[in-house]
Amino acid sequence: MVDNRGPFPARAFPMHQHWLSSLGVEHPLIQAPMAGSTPPELVSEVSRAGALGSLGAGYLEPQAILDQAARIRAQTDRPYGINLFVLPDEFEADLAMVDRLRARLDALMEREGLEVRTSLPARWAPRYSEQFAALCEAQPAVASFAFGLPSAAQMGELKRRGIVVVGTATSVVEARAWAALGADAICVQGAEAGGHRSTFLHEPEDAMIGLFALLPLTVRAVEIPVIAAGGIMDGRGMAAAEVLGAAASMLGTAFLACPESSAAPAWKADLAQVEEHRVTTIRSFSGRAARGLRNRYVEAMPNTAAELPPYPVLNALTAPLRRAAAQAGRADLLSEWCGQAAALARGLPAAQLVAGLMHEYRLARRSLAG
Ligand SMILES: Cc1cc2nc3c(=O)[nH]c(=O)nc-3n(C[C@H](O)[C@H](O)[C@H](O)COP(=O)(O)O)c2cc1C
């Protein structure tokens, strides 16, 4: 166990030597995987611009993972990543609770004038083991995982194929678990982070650690590179994370606002006006705690684990409602995931955003150098 209580190690790498450069990625910058919002067009544009694009594949069936990977490959031969949620293949649902929730959701849709109603899906979620096989076949440069740890056999398979493994952690304990499993790097998600955080060894409320606390603690605890995520919206934030020991920065909400992201236009339009005190932890869309905007839907629905079916059951039930709300331009009824600093979003095309972030990052580094 690394526990350096002496002077803190200087981690200001010369830019050409950062960790991602060993993978052929020019910039120490990763576009976060965001299931449902990071289509091949966004991923390939980011990778072409010299950062690492990431396909959030958690909601995709295996064939869709292969198709989207092929679309990325058709656009660029630069490195990119695929991200999965580590989940069981099958889920048991409490059908009485499901019925109660469906009645409540349907009543809300009726009150709000949307014609859509809930229905029981054929499956609650794609099978993780089949998604994993598709990921291996797609053979991206990087595979990242959230919500849990792959098996040792799966880690062996990734290593055999030369795929770099990034684990996602929300505490030092989780980061140590990833390091012990043999991850090549760890992404730490501070509590600021938008969307679902990866928390898998704690209750979500026990893992609400801000990035400025979690990052240096993790850098001290593990020997592998640590990637910073949560609330970073510009190049200054990237430089700040680097000072605290980050090998790279991962930005989600900043890329959500790009024209290439598939977030609903009404949701994108809300991002720049987000008031940080309205960015909160929401269970009522998916059954799992996720960070997003407190909107009309959130205020109308219960928000405790006791009142809601767990993930992915509730996520599957609300998916058609969220799609219908997006089509109707009703951002106030859809899951407006975003990090705490969402109002700094710029909505630039992805390649311009990467160039702008790197410009700011270089300026910030220069001013830190004195
Ligand atoms: C809309 C949205 C969807 C997300 N989906 C995923 C996902 O599929 N997998 C994952 O590991 N993280 C996911 N995240 C979390 C991001 O990977 C990242 O940790 C987070 O966006 C960083 O915080 P920021 O949004 O403040 O930049 C998502 C975040 C957002 C905003």
Side-chain angles (χ1 to χ4, degrees):
M1 182 178 80
V2 184
D3 191 0
N4 178 3
R5 288 175 194 276
F8 300 109
R11 290 263 184 129
F13 304 110
M15 269 192 333
H16 57 280
Q17 280 179 12
H18 63 81
W19 170 66
L20 279 172
S21 65
S22 64
L23 313 184
V25 179
E26 197 182 332
H27 306 314
L29 170 62
I30 303 174
Q31 163 252 312
M34 296 180 280
S37 298
T38 47
E41 295 68 31
L42 176 64
V43 179
S44 55
E45 272 301 288
V46 170
S47 287
R48 274 152 55 120
L52 184 75
S54 317
L55 179 71
Y59 301 149
L60 298 180
E61 291 294 341
Q63 188 56 48
I65 295 177
L66 291 172
D67 293 347
Q68 298 204 9
R71 278 165 57 196
I72 295 166
R73 266 288 154 266
Q75 294 302 317
T76 180
D77 55 10
R78 297 257 177 112
Y80 75 96
I82 296 182
N83 172 269
L84 291 181
F85 300 139
V86 182
L87 293 168
D89 275 354
E90 305 296 336
F91 299 91
E92 293 288 325
D94 173 345
L95 291 179
M97 187 182 244
V98 166
D99 283 347
R100 279 199 300 278
L101 238 290
R102 286 185 60 191
R104 195 155 182 170
L105 288 166
D106 290 346
L108 176 64
M109 292 300 125
E110 185 165 7
R111 267 200 319 276
E112 294 296 333
L114 287 194
E115 274 172 26
V116 64
R117 298 292 177 266
T118 56
S119 58
L120 285 180
R123 294 188 48 75
W124 296 114
R127 282 194 182 85
Y128 163 71
S129 63
E130 294 172 1
Q131 293 178 311
F132 182 84
L135 180 149
C136 289
E137 194 180 331
Q139 199 116 349
V142 173
S144 65
F145 297 91
F147 298 1
L149 301 173
S151 66
Q154 288 168 338
M155 286 296 282
E157 181 64 20
L158 295 164
K159 300 251 155 166
R160 201 177 62 71
R161 290 171 178 268
I163 299 174
V164 168
V165 179
V166 175
T168 316
T170 63
S171 71
V172 174
V173 175
E174 291 179 352
R176 284 208 176 103
W178 273 110
L181 189 66
D184 296 291
I186 294 164
C187 170
V188 289
Q189 284 173 322
E192 305 90 330
H196 294 97
R197 287 168 74 238
S198 179
T199 310
F200 58 95
L201 292 179
H202 318 276
E203 290 303 318
E205 48 279 17
D206 294 332
M208 286 298 176
I209 305 153
L211 184 63
F212 262 39
L214 182 57
L215 177 57
L217 285 170
T218 308
V219 169
R220 187 179 69 175
V222 301
E223 285 176 321
I224 53 180
V226 179
I227 299 159
I232 304 176
M233 299 297 291
D234 55 32
R236 298 169 305 178
M238 292 170 59
E242 186 177 301
V243 170
L244 288 177
S249 291
M250 181 186 279
L251 282 62
T253 304
F255 283 100
L256 200 58
C258 294
E260 294 91 340
S261 110
S262 50
W267 169 17
K268 284 186 194 178
D270 277 355
L271 283 176
Q273 290 143 45
V274 166
E275 294 171 302
E276 60 293 337
H277 64 273
R278 292 182 58 229
V279 178
T280 189
T281 306
I282 303 163
R283 280 183 195 265
S284 54
F285 284 109
S286 71
R288 194 183 159 101
R291 187 169 293 293
L293 189 59
R294 186 196 310 277
N295 61 14
R296 195 171 172 86
Y297 175 98
V298 176
E299 283 180 349
M301 291 296 291
N303 202 35
T304 64
E307 295 165 289
L308 298 165
Y311 186 94
V313 173
L314 184 56
N315 197 54
L317 288 176
T318 62
L321 312 187
R322 286 179 281 136
R323 267 195 302 276
Q327 273 161 17
R330 291 289 305 270
D332 58 341
L333 294 178
L334 58 86
S335 44
E336 295 186 275
W337 304 140
C338 59
Q340 287 178 330
L344 297 174
R346 288 174 270 200
L348 292 171
Q352 274 182 45
L353 179 61
V354 169
L357 289 167
M358 288 309 297
H359 177 67
E360 293 166 351
Y361 164 75
R362 290 189 191 100
L363 286 179
R365 271 181 129 255
R366 230 176 281 152
S367 72
L368 283 174

